[in-house]
């Protein structure tokens, strides 16, 4: 009768033989209960004895072994036969006339070097452990334990590591998930007995967590390579609610075969889901190859989702690409619903779009360009929710609207115009763009009407800064303060591009933007028509004129005899040099008061590139970056352009006949038609001082290009003005650190009220609409009103701020050496409280009337003031931009009582 036995290892046989020889037994053969197999050398030397090991699967084999024994040898017969199978005749030749057993646990003890005893819990685990340790012992033996007792954990960890081919230190959920990515490494475990597989799985569940059950079940079912894709899906299937619960239940049933029929518990599913997502994040961070491998797993998960019919649930996934698309489509639906015909966007609907955008932003596999376009879409919805307040009264008002509001609109709608590859999302963006275009077109027509009236009236500019006045009214006053000037002329840069340039330059902290009196940004009116030949030459000449580079150099030298004007060719350098040596020398030379550099990158893009999708900053304007890096701390940088531009509208473009080949202006031989305006006066430098130009952006006369300029749209005719100082906002008297430039709708969600926010009312003296208004003489005499302080928070929040400022602990914590004004503390806290205890740095700076470059330092002071005993009342997100207030902790730390 055969009995289940284990294979005998050379170590075990040797020890059994040593014990046998120590008995001084005269028998020359011993039978051991073991599987009749012996992969090692059949002859052993134990002391002076020569031992031959012979597998004996049958009585005949045992008889032959005894018969063929060589004189002087002793025999070890390995057999799984019973004593009755051998019979008395064979037993008579064996030691003690019996078949001796190899004690499993004694063998285990022998397999681990230096072990004197076994942990009782190991023995109670079951005989499968002893058999598996014997069957799967590595050639070099099992690793020795740290003590003389073989513990259950050491034995099982060693066995599991050997079977899985993993280092013992990687037997956790992340190690197991990584293990499943290579099919060959799973074969040894798959081939193990059912008892071993179940025992190893139970052990792994104990040390690696609940994810191990699903991982090992999938491996045993032959689907180990799909552990990660399936893991990405189980979190969606075990969390279905409402209408998705039915689809989730069906998906769970269809997914069970991947786990060999195992029904995962909710906890096991969540653990597996977390482990799979964590693998994706880790793998993506390893580089290009890792991203490719992660994407392969994501696509496989989507394929499995399609197989089991749960594609509709992928929107709940934070990593699957289809989830991002579904979330983006939900956002697009919200955008569409927020656009009622003939009126502003509804605030409640805009807030729903805000919530939908939050889910898009939460997706870990988002596509940055598409996500940024969605953010721009929401910003435009906010802008559309603000009721219009009437036409501007003066050209200066219209110019400031372009600088402070509509230029930001133009920046956002460029992303929307570029669209999205998903047709459903693209259709929503098209509707949004049409709504934005409707309002912007009205603004452009208002601007063009004021431009025509002001140009024809030949009135004094007053506070309106014209391109021909920049040298006298901006550059010269800075020189008069004994500061040198680097004048950067970014040919073709409009207000939209300037907002990006300013952010790029000031983000590093080395440069501070200055504005007149520390107020809002102003702008410059281009010469007419808004083409380089006219407006750039007028800028560098200080008067309305026309000409090319030679005319510009001659006029600039007359105005600044010791200055230097550089065009594109002058800026180029040889290999290894970012700037020409002579250019660098001129920038460094304190005897050169002003260096002007013309950078054509943006204007060149209008002909040969795509200005609508380029983000203009130091990365794309490398000449600007190089020049800024070369200047000293005595230099003030003035950034302007000669004109802006509009982008090509593709199939939406309207081509009108013209006797000339210009794209955006024509001689006034035919009266202005729909979408056009007639301009005449001394500031019109071509066609005898009288031209017709389009104010509609989609109109052109000449051949198609990527972008155009020359017309009367505000995006073309308003030139941005940026003044930058190296880290000091007191560099130029009369100028101060700029406040946050972006409008509220650009950075803030709408308040949770039924009433939409209104645009700030213009100053009272601007309310009467007049074709031309006599304006003050000084450029900075007419400053925009300072941003209003944050409105008091009604109810408990207002009481909380009042209670804080009146509390004893607050008084004790105020630093008399670096006091933070109570009014500023109140404004900052009220802003946070009014926005659900969170706000961006830009919002805090704008509401508390803090220059943009000072908000970080102010926030640090506020955190120090409020952080009692090290508790973080204020926190900043990892994005470095969003501030969170812990209202509960504030109340507790300052003992403010219930609020």
């Amino acid at each position: 009768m055969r009995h289940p036995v284990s294979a005998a290892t050379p170590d075990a046989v040797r020890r059994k033989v040593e014990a046998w020889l120590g008995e001084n037994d005269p028998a020359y053969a011993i039978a051991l209960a073991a599987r009749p197999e012996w992969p090692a050398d059949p002859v052993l030397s134990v002391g002076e004895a020569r031992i031959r090991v012979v597998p004996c699967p049958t009585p005949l084999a045992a008889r032959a072994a005894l018969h063929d024994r060589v004189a002087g040898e002793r025999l070890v017969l390995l057999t799984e036969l019973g004593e009755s199978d051998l019979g008395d005749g064979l037993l008579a030749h064996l030691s003690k006339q019996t078949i001796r057993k190899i004690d499993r646990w004694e063998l285990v003890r022998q397999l681990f070097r230096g072990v004197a005893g076994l942990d009782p819990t190991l023995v109670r685990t079951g005989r499968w452990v002893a058999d598996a340790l014997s069957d799967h012992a590595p050639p070099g033996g099992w690793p020795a334990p740290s003590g003389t007792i073989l513990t259950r954990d050491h034995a099982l960890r060693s066995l599991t590591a050997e079977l899985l081919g993993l280092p013992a230190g990687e037997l956790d959920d992340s190690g197991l998930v990584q293990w499943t990515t290579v099919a060959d490494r799973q074969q040894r475990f798959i081939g193990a007995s059912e008892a071993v597989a179940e025992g190893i799985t139970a052990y792994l569940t104990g040390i690696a967590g609940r994810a191990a059950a699903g991982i090992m079940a999938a491996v045993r079912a032959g689907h180990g390579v799909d552990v990660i894709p399936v893991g990405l899906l189980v979190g969606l299937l075990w969390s279905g609610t409402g209408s998705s619960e039915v689809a989730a239940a069906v998906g769970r049933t269809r997914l069970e075969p991947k786990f060999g029929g195992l029904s995962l518990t909710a906890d096991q599913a969540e653990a597996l889901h977390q482990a799979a997502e964590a693998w994706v994040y880790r793998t993506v961070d390893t580089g290009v190859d890792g991203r490719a491998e992660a994407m392969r797993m994501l696509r496989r998960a989507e394929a499995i989702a399609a197989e089991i019919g749960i594609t509709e649930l992928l929107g709940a996934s934070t990593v699957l690409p289809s989830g991002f698309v579904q979330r983006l489509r939900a956002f697009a639906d919200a955008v569409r619903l927020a656009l009622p015909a003939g009126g502003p966007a509804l605030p409640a609907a805009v807030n729903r779009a805000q919530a939908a955008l939050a889910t898009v932003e939460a997706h870990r596999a988002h596509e940055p360009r598409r996500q940024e376009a969605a953010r721009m879409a929401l910003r435009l919805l906010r802008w559309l929710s603000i009721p219009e307040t009437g036409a501007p009264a003066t050209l200066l008002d219209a110019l400031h609207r372009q600088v402070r509001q509509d230029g930001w609109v133009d920046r956002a709608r460029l992303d929307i115009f570029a669209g999205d590859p998903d047709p459903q999302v693209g259709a929503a963006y098209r509707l949004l763009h049409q709504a934005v275009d409707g309002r912007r077109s009205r603004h452009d027509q208002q601007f063009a009407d004021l431009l025509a009236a002001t140009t024809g009236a030949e009135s004094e500019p007053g506070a309106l800064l014209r391109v021909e006045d920049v040298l006298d009214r901006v550059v010269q006053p800075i020189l008069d303060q004994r500061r040198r000037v680097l004048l950067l002329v970014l040919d073709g840069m409009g207000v939209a591009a300037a907002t990006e340039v300013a952010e790029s330059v000031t983000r590093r902290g080395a440069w501070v933007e200055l504005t007149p009196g520390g107020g809002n940004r102003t702008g410059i009116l281009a010469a007419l028509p808004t083409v380089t030949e006219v407006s750039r030459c007028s800028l560098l000449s200080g008067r309305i004129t026309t000409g090319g580079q030679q005319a510009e150099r001659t006029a600039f030298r007359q105005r600044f005899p010791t200055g230097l004007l550089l065009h594109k060719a002058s800026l180029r350098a040889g290999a290894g040099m970012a700037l020409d040596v002579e250019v660098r020398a001129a920038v460094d030379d304190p005897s050169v008061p002003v260096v002007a550099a013309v950078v054509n990158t943006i204007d060149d893009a209008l002909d040969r590139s795509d200005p609508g999708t380029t983000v203009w900053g130091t990365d794309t304007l490398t000449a600007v970056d190089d020049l800024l890096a070369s200047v000293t701390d005595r230099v003030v940088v003035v950034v302007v352009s000669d004109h802006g531009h509009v982008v090509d509208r593709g199939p939406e473009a309207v081509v009108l006949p013209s006797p000339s080949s210009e794209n955006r202006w024509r001689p006034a031989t035919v009266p202005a038609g729909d979408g056009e305006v007639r301009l005449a006066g001394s500031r019109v430098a071509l066609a005898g001082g009288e031209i017709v130009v389009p104010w509609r952006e989609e109109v052109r006369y000449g051949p198609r290009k990527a972008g155009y300029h020359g017309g009367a749209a505000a995006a073309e005719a308003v030139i941005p003005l940026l003044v930058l100082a190296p880290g000091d906002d007191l560099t130029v008297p009369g100028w101060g650190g700029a406040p946050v430039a972006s409008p509220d709708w650009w950075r803030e969600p709408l308040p949770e009220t039924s009433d939409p926010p209104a645009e700030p009312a213009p100053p009272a003296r601007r309310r009467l609409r007049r074709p031309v208004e006599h304006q003050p003489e000084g450029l900075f005499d007419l400053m925009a009103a300072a941003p209003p302080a944050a409105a008091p928070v009604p109810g408990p929040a207002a009481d909380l701020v009042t209670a804080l400022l009146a509390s004893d602990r607050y008084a004790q914590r105020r630093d008399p050496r670096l006091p933070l004004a109570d009014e500023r503390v109140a404004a900052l806290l009220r802003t946070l409280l009014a926005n659900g205890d969170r706000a961006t740095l830009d919002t805090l700076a704008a509401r508390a009337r803090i220059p943009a470059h000072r908000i970080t330092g102010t926030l640090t002071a506020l955190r120090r003031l409020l952080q009692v005993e090290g508790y973080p009342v204020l926190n900043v997100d990892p994005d470095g931009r969003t501030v969170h207030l812990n209202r509960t902790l504030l109340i507790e730390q300052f003992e403010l009582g219930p609020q």
Side-chain angles (χ1 to χ4, degrees):
M1 180 180 179
R2 297 174 184 270
H3 299 283
V5 292
S6 303
T9 64
D11 234 10
V13 170
R14 177 179 292 278
R15 290 184 182 278
K16 200 68 178 176
V17 169
E18 288 174 349
W20 170 42
L21 295 177
E23 297 171 358
N24 294 318
D25 187 344
Y28 58 81
I30 183 173
L32 299 179
R35 285 203 293 268
E37 54 190 47
W38 187 255
D41 190 334
V43 177
L44 301 176
S45 294
V46 180
E48 297 180 358
R50 179 182 172 87
I51 310 297
R52 182 175 295 275
V53 181
V54 183
C56 298
T58 65
L60 183 59
R63 190 176 301 278
L66 293 172
H67 181 270
D68 297 338
R69 182 180 71 88
V70 177
E73 280 187 347
R74 294 197 176 203
L75 300 178
V76 175
L77 308 182
L78 303 179
T79 184
E80 55 188 350
L81 299 171
E83 292 177 351
S84 60
D85 297 320
L86 293 179
D88 292 340
L90 289 175
L91 291 175
H93 297 281
L94 302 180
S95 173
K96 298 187 182 299
Q97 293 81 47
T98 187
I99 300 174
R100 297 194 185 194
K101 294 180 179 180
I102 300 177
D103 184 271
R104 291 181 175 84
W105 293 111
E106 177 60 21
L107 175 59
V108 168
R109 186 187 66 76
Q110 295 170 2
L111 291 173
F112 288 84
R113 294 182 298 275
V115 169
L118 303 178
D119 182 350
T121 61
L122 171 61
V123 177
R124 289 197 295 270
T125 301
R127 57 185 286 178
W128 69 269
V129 181
D131 291 342
L133 287 169
S134 298
D135 294 344
H136 301 289
W142 293 112
S146 57
T148 58
I149 301 298
L150 177 61
T151 64
R152 177 181 181 274
D153 181 70
H154 183 80
L156 289 177
R157 187 176 292 273
S158 301
L159 173 62
T160 304
E162 177 66 20
L163 277 177
L164 273 56
L166 276 175
E170 295 182 15
L171 296 179
D172 52 22
D173 56 358
S174 60
L176 291 179
V177 169
Q178 183 64 42
W179 170 68
T180 66
T181 61
V182 183
D184 293 346
R185 298 175 70 187
Q186 304 168 35
Q187 295 306 310
R188 195 173 183 192
F189 175 79
I190 293 174
S193 67
E194 189 73 14
V196 172
E198 290 181 357
I200 293 298
T201 299
Y203 173 69
L204 285 171
T205 302
I207 65 169
R210 295 184 299 273
I215 294 172
M216 305 313 290
V219 172
R220 291 166 65 186
H223 297 289
V225 292
D226 278 339
V227 161
I228 294 169
V230 170
L232 295 173
L233 299 178
V234 295
L236 312 179
L237 297 177
W238 270 259
S239 60
T241 58
S243 59
S244 65
E245 174 56 29
V246 174
V250 172
R252 290 196 294 269
T253 300
R254 293 175 178 172
L255 202 60
E256 280 187 5
K258 296 285 187 182
F259 300 104
L262 172 68
S263 295
L264 297 181
T265 66
D267 286 345
Q268 289 171 337
E270 178 59 23
L272 178 56
H273 180 240
Q274 291 179 359
E277 282 201 347
W279 178 89
V280 172
Y281 303 150
R282 290 194 306 272
T283 305
V284 166
D285 289 341
T286 61
V288 175
D289 291 342
R291 287 193 290 273
E293 175 66 6
M295 184 55 66
R296 185 180 69 82
M297 292 294 188
L298 296 174
R299 295 303 184 194
R300 175 58 182 157
E302 292 180 339
I304 295 174
E307 291 172 7
I308 63 176
I310 62 165
T311 300
E312 66 189 79
L313 303 181
L314 298 187
S317 170
T318 59
V319 296
L320 294 175
S322 293
F324 173 72
V325 173
Q326 289 191 19
R327 293 179 183 211
L328 197 58
R329 287 175 177 172
F331 169 72
D333 289 341
V335 169
R336 188 181 297 106
L337 292 173
L339 289 171
L346 301 176
V350 176
N351 284 329
R352 285 192 288 272
Q354 171 77 44
L357 176 62
T359 68
V360 174
E361 294 177 324
H363 200 280
R364 297 292 296 269
H366 65 263
E367 298 176 45
R369 181 186 67 81
R370 300 175 74 183
Q371 179 174 273
E372 184 63 15
R375 289 173 177 159
M376 294 298 185
L378 182 71
R379 285 166 169 160
L380 292 175
L381 277 181
R382 291 178 190 151
W383 179 68
L384 288 172
S385 72
I386 302 172
E388 295 203 72
T389 56
T394 68
L395 182 58
L396 180 62
D397 292 340
L399 180 144
H400 281 162
R401 179 173 63 182
Q402 177 65 20
V403 171
R404 300 166 188 175
Q405 294 284 336
D406 287 359
W408 297 86
V409 173
D410 294 343
R411 172 177 167 182
R413 66 177 172 147
L414 286 173
D415 282 4
I416 301 308
F417 182 79
D420 188 273
D422 184 83
Q424 184 175 329
V425 178
Y429 287 174
R430 182 177 180 82
L431 292 175
L432 174 61
H433 194 273
Q434 290 172 348
V436 172
D437 255 9
R439 181 180 287 194
R440 279 293 286 109
S441 291
R442 290 192 295 274
H443 289 189
D444 277 339
Q445 184 172 19
Q446 293 164 1
F447 178 88
D449 289 344
L450 289 168
L451 177 63
T454 303
T455 303
E458 301 283 0
S459 58
E460 290 298 316
L464 178 66
L465 180 61
R466 304 171 305 181
V467 69
E468 63 268 30
D469 302 326
V470 169
L471 298 182
D472 284 338
R473 298 175 65 182
V474 178
V475 174
Q476 189 60 51
I478 297 174
L479 297 176
D480 292 344
Q481 299 298 324
R482 298 184 178 179
R483 292 280 183 173
R484 299 173 62 223
V485 172
L486 172 62
L487 176 64
L488 294 179
V489 183
L490 307 189
D491 198 319
M493 178 180 67
V495 174
T499 65
E500 296 174 339
V501 172
E503 289 175 3
S504 176
V505 172
T506 59
R507 186 182 299 125
R508 303 175 184 177
W511 292 94
V512 175
E513 181 183 356
L514 305 181
T515 51
N520 291 323
R521 282 179 187 165
T522 190
I524 304 165
L525 185 66
L528 304 171
T530 53
V531 293
T532 301
E533 176 190 2
V534 174
S535 207
R536 195 174 81 191
C537 194
S538 298
L539 165 70
L540 297 171
S541 302
R543 59 187 176 84
I544 294 295
T545 187
T546 63
Q549 293 185 12
Q550 185 57 50
E552 293 170 359
R553 281 192 289 268
T554 299
F556 191 79
R557 191 180 304 113
Q558 291 174 348
R559 180 66 179 78
F560 299 108
T562 57
L564 179 65
L565 172 60
L566 306 167
H567 290 91
K568 180 193 296 185
S570 302
L571 293 173
R572 290 173 177 163
M577 299 295 292
L579 292 175
D580 182 82
V581 175
E582 294 185 3
V583 171
R584 182 62 187 262
V587 172
D588 289 341
D589 189 349
S591 66
V592 180
V594 56
V595 174
V598 177
V599 179
N600 296 87
T601 309
I602 297 176
D603 197 53
D604 288 347
L606 303 182
D607 281 331
R608 298 182 292 273
S609 184
D610 190 355
T613 58
T614 303
V615 177
W616 298 111
T618 53
D619 291 339
T620 47
L621 297 166
T622 53
V624 172
D625 199 28
D626 296 336
L627 286 165
L628 290 177
S630 69
V631 300
T632 67
D633 59 2
R634 294 291 299 173
V635 175
V636 175
V637 178
V638 177
V639 183
V640 296
S641 69
D642 49 354
H643 53 73
H645 66 269
V646 295
V647 299
D648 180 67
R649 292 300 187 90
E652 299 174 3
V654 176
V655 183
L656 297 179
S658 170
S660 72
S661 60
E662 301 295 334
N663 272 295
R664 289 278 291 176
W665 72 273
R666 64 177 176 83
T669 54
V670 176
D674 183 38
E676 296 177 311
V677 66
R678 173 183 170 276
L679 300 177
S682 61
R683 298 194 73 252
V684 179
L686 296 176
E690 184 179 358
I691 58 176
V692 171
V693 294
W695 55 263
R696 286 191 179 277
E697 293 186 353
E698 62 269 28
V699 172
R700 76 170 193 270
Y701 305 117
R704 183 177 182 183
K705 296 182 179 180
Y708 315 96
H709 56 89
E716 300 165 282
V718 176
I719 298 171
L721 170 63
L722 303 174
V723 177
L724 305 168
D728 182 4
D729 62 354
L730 302 178
T731 299
V732 182
W735 294 70
V740 173
S742 58
D744 287 349
W745 54 264
W746 181 266
R747 61 182 180 270
E748 300 176 36
L750 295 180
E752 296 290 342
T753 66
S754 58
D755 298 323
E759 287 182 324
R765 57 189 171 85
R766 298 189 195 173
R767 291 186 180 179
L768 294 178
R769 180 184 172 101
R770 295 186 295 274
V772 180
E773 179 181 278
H774 178 72
Q775 297 163 329
E777 292 298 322
L779 168 61
F780 311 129
D781 292 340
L782 186 60
M783 287 293 99
V793 182
D799 295 340
L800 178 60
V801 174
T802 301
L804 171 71
L805 298 180
S807 69
D808 292 338
R809 177 158 290 184
Y810 176 82
Q812 294 166 3
R813 291 193 57 77
R814 292 194 65 193
D815 188 344
R817 297 167 301 174
L818 298 169
L820 190 59
D822 289 352
E823 295 80 6
R824 184 146 286 173
V825 172
L828 292 167
L829 289 178
R830 285 172 178 157
T831 300
L832 287 163
L833 292 165
N835 286 275
D837 298 340
R838 65 189 298 276
T840 64
L841 290 175
D842 282 353
T843 296
L844 290 170
R847 293 294 182 86
R849 291 186 285 184
I850 299 170
H853 71 285
R854 294 189 183 276
I855 184 58
T856 301
T858 302
L859 180 65
T860 299
L862 182 62
R863 293 176 74 178
R864 189 182 301 116
L865 176 64
L866 301 181
Q867 194 159 303
V868 179
E869 298 177 0
Y871 290 99
V873 172
L874 290 178
N875 284 301
V876 181
D877 273 355
D879 65 6
R881 297 176 54 253
T882 306
V883 181
H884 292 267
L885 169 69
N886 188 327
R887 188 187 305 214
T888 302
L889 194 56
L890 177 69
I891 293 170
E892 177 183 332
Q893 294 300 307
F894 286 88
E895 301 175 351
L896 304 179
Q899 297 289 334

